[in-house]
Amino acid sequence: MEALVRIIDLHKNFGSLEVLKGISIEVTKGEKLTIIGPSGSGKTTLLRCVNYLEKPTSGHVYVDDKLIGEKKVNGRYVHLSDRELAKERAGIGFVFQRFNLFPHLTALDNVTVAPRRVLGMQVAEADEMAMEMLEKVGLAHKAGEYPERLSGGQQQRVAIARVLGMQPKLMLFDEATSALDPELIGEVLKVMRELAEEGRTMMIVTHEIQFAEEVSDRVIFMDEGRVIEEGPPKEIFSKPRHERTQTFLHQILER
């Protein structure tokens, strides 16, 4: 299978703190890769490096064989300009923990703003597309509502619709349900499950073990900035080989 994402010897430091310690991962087209691990293991930082919200200290990320966030000039790597980076990010959707909707825009406008500004989509076309995306996440009837009038689960579904509006080749989910009340988690996981069934390429950071077991093609366990173990979900969740993975899953499943 052809790799859509190639992460090569990725390191990330914040001052003297080394958060990622040489991560190398490939994600094939259509694959659902779930990343699990304790808080502080580097999961979120890894996702943020994939679309260059964080600049790696060293190492490189390729998406669809294109180097992300940098280019080679006279034999050395140079960071892209903000405008160049925005074009690259257009194909990589990021669903955050905290929704990050624009509070002064309706649900519809939150979905249309990036396609209009980045892709140059006309207003009527963008509105039609946005309604389709809101329908897809079950919120067409909330198109005219502002975020403050939506539940957390609805806000996150609008955030997913906003990502879909950019027609991304890769979708990154960073603990998409962690900020939600327990009764709202299911509605977001349902949308994510449907996207997985469509064959989208997804990298998912989550503590929802049952969900991960159901939708993942492969699971990676991270700890202290390294990949400790990876494999099919049944293997990782039923018969983890590494003692650290066993301890983590025992603690999670006991909650």
Side-chain angles (χ1 to χ4, degrees):
M1 293 289 288
E2 186 180 354
L4 179 72
V5 182
R6 288 187 293 130
I7 300 169
I8 302 170
D9 196 24
L10 200 67
H11 291 254
K12 177 61 182 178
N13 295 1
F14 292 100
S16 61
L17 179 64
E18 190 177 15
V19 177
L20 298 179
K21 303 173 182 177
I23 302 290
S24 294
I25 298 170
E26 288 194 353
V27 184
T28 59
K29 289 184 177 180
E31 184 177 15
K32 270 61 70 179
L33 175 69
T34 297
I35 305 165
I36 62 171
S39 297
S41 59
K43 308 182 300 296
T44 291
T45 300
L46 174 60
L47 283 195
R48 291 175 67 87
C49 284
V50 170
N51 79 335
Y52 232 67
L53 285 171
E54 297 287 354
K55 293 179 182 178
T57 303
S58 64
H60 306 288
V61 177
Y62 291 83
V63 175
D64 215 7
D65 286 329
K66 186 170 180 61
L67 187 61
I68 296 298
E70 359 173 58
K71 57 186 175 183
K72 218 168 186 180
V73 179
N74 297 326
R76 64 189 187 93
Y77 292 97
V78 178
H79 294 305
L80 297 182
S81 69
D82 289 345
R83 179 172 291 186
E84 290 172 317
L85 186 55
K87 286 184 179 179
E88 283 195 356
R89 281 202 189 118
I92 306 173
F94 200 116
V95 179
F96 298 87
Q97 295 180 30
R98 293 278 174 185
F99 326 139
N100 285 15
L101 298 179
F102 295 110
H104 62 290
L105 298 180
T106 64
L108 181 78
D109 291 338
N110 263 284
V111 178
T112 63
V113 63
R116 288 171 57 191
R117 291 183 179 179
V118 179
L119 303 181
M121 201 175 282
Q122 297 300 308
V123 174
E125 182 187 4
D127 285 352
E128 182 180 356
M129 174 279 300
M131 287 302 297
E132 289 178 10
M133 295 305 104
L134 289 171
E135 180 70 41
K136 191 177 189 68
V137 300
L139 288 175
H141 63 295
K142 297 288 187 180
E145 297 284 5
Y146 289 89
E148 64 177 12
R149 293 180 56 86
L150 301 174
S151 70
Q154 290 171 336
Q155 289 186 57
Q156 190 62 293
R157 285 189 281 155
V158 172
I160 293 172
R162 179 177 60 183
V163 166
L164 293 172
M166 293 296 288
Q167 302 167 0
K169 61 187 76 172
L170 170 67
M171 296 188 73
L172 310 175
F173 294 85
D174 181 26
E175 295 280 12
T177 60
S178 65
L180 301 177
D181 293 332
E183 65 269 20
L184 302 177
I185 290 173
E187 64 189 59
V188 174
L189 293 181
K190 178 177 180 289
V191 171
M192 292 174 64
R193 189 177 282 106
E194 290 168 354
L195 295 176
E197 290 170 355
E198 290 177 1
R200 294 178 182 271
T201 310
M202 301 164 70
M203 295 179 69
I204 305 165
V205 169
T206 185
H207 284 299
E208 300 292 336
I209 299 301
Q210 183 179 346
F211 170 78
E213 193 166 5
E214 291 172 0
V215 306
S216 306
D217 297 305
R218 184 163 49 112
V219 176
I220 282 177
F221 173 69
M222 286 183 64
D223 191 34
E224 296 185 349
R226 292 186 172 91
V227 173
I228 304 299
E229 186 169 357
E230 65 177 289
K234 182 173 285 190
E235 181 180 302
I236 295 295
F237 295 129
S238 300
K239 297 178 180 177
R241 299 182 302 277
H242 199 282
E243 183 180 349
R244 184 67 187 92
T245 316
Q246 295 168 11
T247 302
F248 171 77
L249 289 172
H250 180 70
Q251 291 171 340
I252 288 289
L253 297 172
E254 267 196 340
R255 291 177 186 173

